[in-house]
Amino acid sequence: MRDIAFYLSEYKQRDADGIPQRIDIDNEVNKQAATALLRFVNQLVDAENLIVLAGSGTSLTFNRQGLPKVAPSMTDLWASCRNLDIARFDEVLRSVKYDDVAGTWPDGSQRQDIELLLSLCDSYLPLKSLSTTRHRKVSEFLAAAKRNIIKETSFVNQVPLESWTAHNRFINVLGKRSPKQKRLKVFTTNYDLAFEVAASNTGMIVIDGFEFSQPQRFNPAWFHYDIVNRTQASEKGGAYLPNIIHLYKVHGSIDWVRTTAGVYKQTGANKTSGEPVFIYPSSTKYQSSYDSPYLDMMAAFLETVQKPKTALLCIGFGFNDKHLNNAITMALRTNSEIMVMAATKDPFSQQGAFNAEIRSQFMNAIEAGDSRLAVVDCTFDTFVSLLPDRHKPSPEETLLSMFEQVIARGSQS
């Protein structure tokens, strides 16, 4: 049973409260509705230029009911940073006037946005407008919070093998594209390494803007390079490797550090000392929004969503990054060939974390007949189960799969 609620031009059913109805798309009674949804998903996957914008909802799928929580939500990160020193945390909120900027959630409660708080701290410190005591506390909190976020989001080694199924299939199905299609581009606001591990699990090669030398330094020119198999270069369509994706970590990563020489990646024994790279742009437009690597990644996103025959899948993303929101809404206004699907948990809930303004814009556009848009209420796992697998395994992959099955049977006997 796959219980999903969705809203698109081909299916605009709502209940008495105006909320799209939840249906079991595997039930024959709902065949017409399921067909409309799957048709949109198929068009998305087959687009010449496929972009994924992934938020924290993709990582929260690792949290299984009845088991200890593995991946933290933004609310969890807020709580864990507050619990480092509650008195200091509350003092920092007052010092940077957090409540004046953040506002409240739809239910009237405090909006707990850890990225916004860190952004405000970064904004206030250079101004030297705080008292000596407050300046020290804000500085200490900022350093401690970054260390804590790295600790909390370094969870991939705690995820059991069987819990990688959704991520592995997501990367494997969408990543192996036809030679006529553009490379899959995954933009993510997550700090964790979930997509990197899933790529490794499925034999995908990740181009993430870092040089292949050691130590690995960020160089956006690498996004313009590709990889070919020289032994097949003379064969028709056989030169470019099929298993390559581009990964843009828009808000930084737990394994990035900034030094005076640039941004480097921490890999294995190659540790580089420097400042953790967390980029949390807010409506205050702090200057880090215009520095590399954020500027390079936003420029790539802006350019990509304006290309013809483009499909944008926003998965597990609540549209709470104003910079990304503006790029998407602008693309919808100016690119007639773009299609956008927002698939996450509780996008229709008035009390949820999904951006209310974006929800209203999308729903109104769909109601007016815009067939380029779809909003889906489901978990990451459920959405992945909807994806059609266009990839036909090569003889080498078939042989490898058979070999792995033999090894697995041998280990069980």
Side-chain angles (χ1 to χ4, degrees):
M1 177 178 174
R2 289 180 291 180
D3 189 38
I4 302 176
F6 54 93
Y7 201 65
L8 64 160
S9 61
E10 281 193 68
Y11 186 78
K12 296 186 288 189
Q13 300 298 318
R14 303 198 202 191
D15 61 22
D17 296 322
I19 305 299
Q21 297 175 331
R22 300 198 70 85
I23 63 170
D24 174 12
I25 66 167
D26 296 315
N27 191 319
E28 189 66 23
V29 175
N30 303 314
K31 185 175 181 179
Q32 183 178 356
T35 299
L37 175 62
L38 295 175
R39 183 182 295 115
F40 196 100
V41 172
N42 274 268
Q43 292 174 346
L44 194 86
V45 173
D46 292 336
E48 180 181 312
N49 184 36
L50 177 59
I51 315 165
V52 170
L53 176 56
S56 60
T58 58
S59 292
L60 295 179
T61 192
F62 293 123
N63 298 329
R64 303 294 178 178
Q65 191 172 5
L67 297 175
K69 181 177 285 190
V70 176
S73 65
M74 283 298 170
T75 302
D76 294 329
L77 290 178
W78 172 279
S80 64
C81 288
R82 182 174 188 269
N83 290 336
L84 293 173
D85 186 327
I86 295 176
R88 180 181 65 189
F89 186 89
D90 292 342
E91 178 70 15
V92 168
L93 291 183
R94 291 190 291 271
S95 298
V96 301
K97 297 180 173 58
Y98 174 83
D99 288 338
D100 292 346
V101 177
T104 60
W105 291 120
D107 62 1
S109 62
Q110 183 187 50
R111 183 182 175 207
Q112 299 177 343
D113 187 336
I114 188 63
E115 289 187 323
L116 174 59
L117 176 57
L118 297 183
S119 179
L120 289 171
C121 291
D122 264 340
S123 299
Y124 268 80
L125 289 176
L127 297 176
K128 306 291 185 182
S129 59
L130 301 174
S131 67
T132 302
T133 301
R134 283 191 164 186
H135 188 280
R136 175 178 54 81
K137 287 185 176 182
V138 171
S139 180
E140 290 174 348
F141 164 75
L142 189 61
K146 288 181 178 180
R147 291 193 299 269
N148 182 67
I149 290 173
I150 290 176
K151 177 185 174 183
E152 293 289 328
T153 54
S154 299
F155 59 80
V156 290
N157 291 332
Q158 304 171 41
V159 179
L161 188 61
E162 61 273 14
S163 294
W164 284 101
T165 303
H167 272 78
N168 290 350
R169 188 172 191 277
F170 184 78
I171 291 296
N172 193 49
V173 170
L174 298 185
K176 294 179 178 177
R177 312 273 285 156
S178 161
K180 297 180 181 180
Q181 297 172 311
K182 305 293 185 183
R183 296 294 192 191
L184 172 68
K185 289 178 170 57
V186 179
F187 293 81
T188 179
T189 57
N190 298 344
Y191 305 125
D192 61 65
L193 306 179
F195 287 112
E196 290 93 326
V197 172
S200 177
N201 292 344
T202 55
M204 300 294 291
I205 297 171
V206 175
I207 295 178
D208 58 2
F210 284 84
E211 299 167 348
F212 288 174
S213 57
Q214 294 293 341
Q216 291 182 273
R217 181 169 59 179
F218 182 79
N219 181 353
W222 280 79
F223 285 119
H224 303 296
Y225 303 155
D226 216 317
I227 303 176
V228 299
N229 185 337
R230 291 292 295 271
T231 64
Q232 299 178 356
S234 61
E235 298 178 16
K236 185 178 180 180
Y240 289 95
L241 296 184
N243 55 328
I244 297 175
I245 65 171
H246 290 185
L247 178 63
Y248 300 79
K249 304 195 77 171
V250 184
H251 285 188
S253 180
I254 60 172
D255 60 345
W256 294 4
V257 293
R258 186 187 298 277
T259 71
T260 54
V263 174
Y264 288 86
K265 185 190 292 186
Q266 308 265 30
T267 55
N270 297 295
K271 298 293 184 181
T272 303
S273 60
E275 178 73 12
V277 180
F278 290 150
I279 309 162
Y280 21 79
S282 69
S283 56
T284 57
K285 295 188 177 179
Y286 177 63
Q287 65 182 24
S288 66
S289 302
Y290 304 98
D291 288 343
S292 183
Y294 180 75
L295 181 63
D296 304 300
M297 299 195 181
M298 277 304 301
F301 187 76
L302 287 164
E303 178 187 8
T304 306
V305 295
Q306 291 293 343
K307 289 183 177 179
K309 301 178 182 178
T310 291
L312 172 62
L313 169 61
C314 304
I315 182 80
F317 182 70
F319 288 85
N320 292 306
D321 184 313
K322 189 172 182 178
H323 295 64
L324 292 169
N325 293 355
N326 289 343
I328 295 168
T329 54
M330 177 60 72
L332 284 166
R333 287 195 297 269
T334 59
N335 184 359
S336 61
E337 294 188 61
I338 194 173
M339 59 186 303
V340 178
M341 172 174 276
T344 190
K345 194 173 181 181
D346 298 329
F348 304 117
S349 172
Q350 299 294 329
Q351 308 304 321
F354 193 89
N355 187 293
E357 182 181 353
I358 294 295
R359 176 176 56 243
S360 177
Q361 289 182 17
F362 284 9
M363 296 285 282
N364 289 341
I366 293 170
E367 187 66 32
D370 193 335
S371 60
R372 300 174 301 160
L373 279 165
V375 182
V376 183
D377 179 359
C378 67
T379 63
F380 179 64
D381 299 60
T382 301
F383 184 82
V384 169
S385 73
L386 302 176
L387 295 175
D389 192 350
R390 300 278 191 264
H391 174 67
K392 294 181 180 180
S394 66
E396 293 82 3
E397 290 172 327
T398 302
L399 185 61
L400 177 61
S401 177
M402 292 171 61
F403 180 74
E404 290 176 340
Q405 292 175 19
V406 170
I407 295 297
R409 285 197 293 267
S411 64
Q412 294 172 0
S413 60

